[in-house]
Amino acid sequence: MATIAVLGTLDTKGHEHAYVAEIIRSRGHQTLLIDTGSAEAPQVKPDVTREQVAAAGAVDLAGIMARKDRGEAVTAMAGAAAKYLAGLVESGAVQGVISLGGGGGTAIGTAAMRALPVGFPKVMVSTLAAGNVAPYVGTKDIVMFPSIVDVSGMNRISRVLLARAAGAICGMVETSVPAGADKPLIAASMFGNTTECVNAAKKILEDAGYEVLVFHATGTGGRIMESLIESGMFAGVLDITTTEWADELVGGILGAGPTRLDAAAKAGIPTIITPGCLDMVNFGERATVPAKFDGRTFYIHNPQVTLMRTNAAECAELGRILAEKANAHTGPVTVLLPLRAISIISAEGKPFHDAAADKALFDAVRAHLRPEIPLVELDCEINAPEFSEACAKALLGSLESR
């Protein structure tokens, strides 16, 4: 039997949360009904009052309620709910959480869920689940469950969907995770254009007794990887695909933010950095590419993805950024350069081949990298077996010397 937190604004959606709690209890679990409302009195009696939640975040709830500023209330209660729920999870008081909401309720519920560890069961039933949920999910494994109709009273649709959502959170807490081999973990970044390189290096590392978790360098993937590195779960990082920095610099759609490459530097863990796919900036369909880029070199990766070749000026700046990120490392870091191609399509004879741009990138790395940081230059393409082997062996050498 588990205890599941049922968290939400009980002043506007109390009956719906109570219904979900009843379904959960019918499955043999306990519930903890937590009120995060800030307007009217709760529709049902909570197990945890809004005042208790507010106190966890040092929120002046009475003042907020008196001002009747919904935006202020949602922001304040989101922060307080995150602190309160994280405390419950840390103490082992709850084993799962579910919340229901519209815009405000989703903001509060998901803020609380983002404060929890990856792997902890989290379900958010939301009117916003069919749209862009990235701001709500962030880098955590929150299950967004579309409410279909507004969370506003019980009806023939909401009864079914809320019962299914309650069943989902019950199934999550009831499922035991099979034990796996407890090997040291390596984080690796990959794109379609660096798959061969990463897979070959991954095999070498696995043969040496490590488990490699691969993250797709799509913006979200990079942010998740950084978040997990920061949590302390990795022994080393194989950052072969730093392409997200091209999007961040130039304005593509797959940027991972200005802190990409920072977590490993701060953690001081052995790290390999290469300029994988810094030749490309990602956009959506060709028609969505901003007009200011007219005249640039493009490659249609598929109908939904258009790649734009980075030019020499951009590559020079990317090389400087890469070097300075490496310079910030407090632990072992090695930079490797594949001089013949940094992606499949930048090799000689391919659509993105641009010797001047590549030279600008490599020259900037050389000029800005601290002299004591190992810089390995190989006369090969990034997916060549010798480059994969060099990356893996450099990382293994750093790991084994610690």
Side-chain angles (χ1 to χ4, degrees):
M1 179 176 65
T3 298
I4 298 173
V6 182
L7 177 148
T9 52
L10 302 188
D11 51 354
T12 59
K13 303 183 190 322
H15 298 302
E16 295 86 347
H17 282 85
Y19 173 77
V20 167
E22 182 182 352
I23 299 291
I24 292 170
R25 289 192 296 269
S26 74
R27 291 279 295 260
H29 300 294
Q30 295 181 338
T31 57
L32 192 69
L33 195 57
I34 303 173
D35 183 20
T36 60
S38 56
E40 305 301 324
Q43 297 171 348
V44 295
K45 181 178 172 55
D47 298 309
V48 177
T49 67
R50 62 186 65 172
E51 289 79 13
Q52 289 173 279
V53 174
V59 170
D60 176 16
L61 184 60
I64 288 175
M65 292 178 68
R67 288 188 290 275
K68 296 184 178 180
D69 185 325
R70 177 169 167 77
E72 179 190 12
V74 168
T75 300
M77 290 305 284
K83 291 182 179 178
Y84 188 84
L85 187 60
L88 290 178
V89 173
E90 187 175 355
S91 68
V94 296
Q95 289 73 52
V97 58
I98 185 170
S99 183
L100 329 171
T106 300
I108 294 170
T110 55
M113 294 176 191
R114 290 195 303 274
L116 306 182
V118 169
F120 187 87
K122 320 167 187 73
V123 172
M124 181 74 228
V125 181
S126 173
T127 58
L128 304 173
N132 177 19
V133 299
Y136 302 103
V137 173
T139 60
K140 296 301 175 70
D141 54 337
I142 300 170
V143 176
M144 296 290 287
F145 200 109
S147 65
I148 305 300
V149 295
D150 196 3
V151 183
S152 179
M154 303 305 300
N155 54 60
R156 69 177 66 185
I157 293 179
S158 63
R159 277 195 300 273
V160 173
L161 294 178
L162 295 184
R164 299 294 184 234
I169 191 65
C170 289
M172 292 167 76
V173 301
E174 291 165 5
T175 301
S176 297
V177 179
D182 192 15
K183 299 178 180 179
L185 290 174
I186 303 295
S189 57
M190 189 169 78
F191 227 30
N193 271 271
T194 58
T195 297
E196 290 180 50
C197 177
V198 175
N199 283 345
K202 178 174 179 280
K203 184 178 187 309
I204 294 170
L205 292 166
E206 288 174 343
D207 288 345
Y210 292 88
E211 182 178 357
V212 182
L213 304 188
V214 178
F215 297 87
H216 203 188
T218 55
T220 299
R223 288 193 296 273
I224 291 172
M225 187 175 83
E226 293 286 316
S227 174
L228 293 180
I229 292 169
E230 190 176 332
S231 75
M233 69 185 296
F234 290 104
V237 178
L238 188 68
D239 215 341
I240 284 174
T241 315
T242 49
T243 183
E244 287 151 320
W245 258 110
D247 285 67
E248 186 68 24
L249 175 69
V250 182
I253 62 174
L254 299 185
T259 60
R260 178 73 174 88
L261 293 169
D262 286 358
K266 293 176 181 176
I269 56 177
T271 302
I272 298 301
I273 297 175
T274 91
C277 294
L278 284 180
D279 57 328
M280 58 187 67
V281 180
N282 292 265
F283 294 101
E285 296 177 3
R286 179 64 182 86
T288 68
V289 179
K292 65 180 180 179
F293 295 120
D294 287 351
R296 296 287 293 269
T297 300
F298 295 99
Y299 178 79
I300 308 301
H301 181 67
N302 62 50
Q304 289 76 41
V305 177
T306 304
L307 306 178
M308 183 180 78
R309 191 15 163 137
T310 46
N311 61 29
E314 292 159 352
C315 283
E317 180 62 9
L318 288 168
R320 182 194 66 79
I321 291 169
L322 211 65
E324 292 190 352
K325 293 292 183 179
N327 291 343
H329 274 254
T330 57
V333 57
T334 303
V335 178
L336 292 95
L337 303 179
L339 299 180
R340 286 191 176 271
I342 57 176
S343 80
I344 292 174
I345 59 174
S346 70
E348 188 172 358
K350 299 296 184 179
F352 273 12
H353 180 65
D354 186 334
D358 286 350
K359 183 177 185 302
L361 175 69
F362 301 147
D363 284 350
V365 172
R366 297 178 186 117
H368 293 281
L369 193 67
R370 283 193 283 122
E372 63 270 26
I373 293 177
L375 176 62
V376 180
E377 303 186 29
L378 287 86
D379 188 27
C380 65
E381 299 177 14
I382 195 165
N383 287 307
E386 56 265 41
F387 191 75
S388 302
E389 184 177 355
C391 289
K393 288 188 174 179
L395 184 56
L396 285 173
S398 295
L399 289 162
E400 291 165 1
S401 66
R402 289 175 70 79

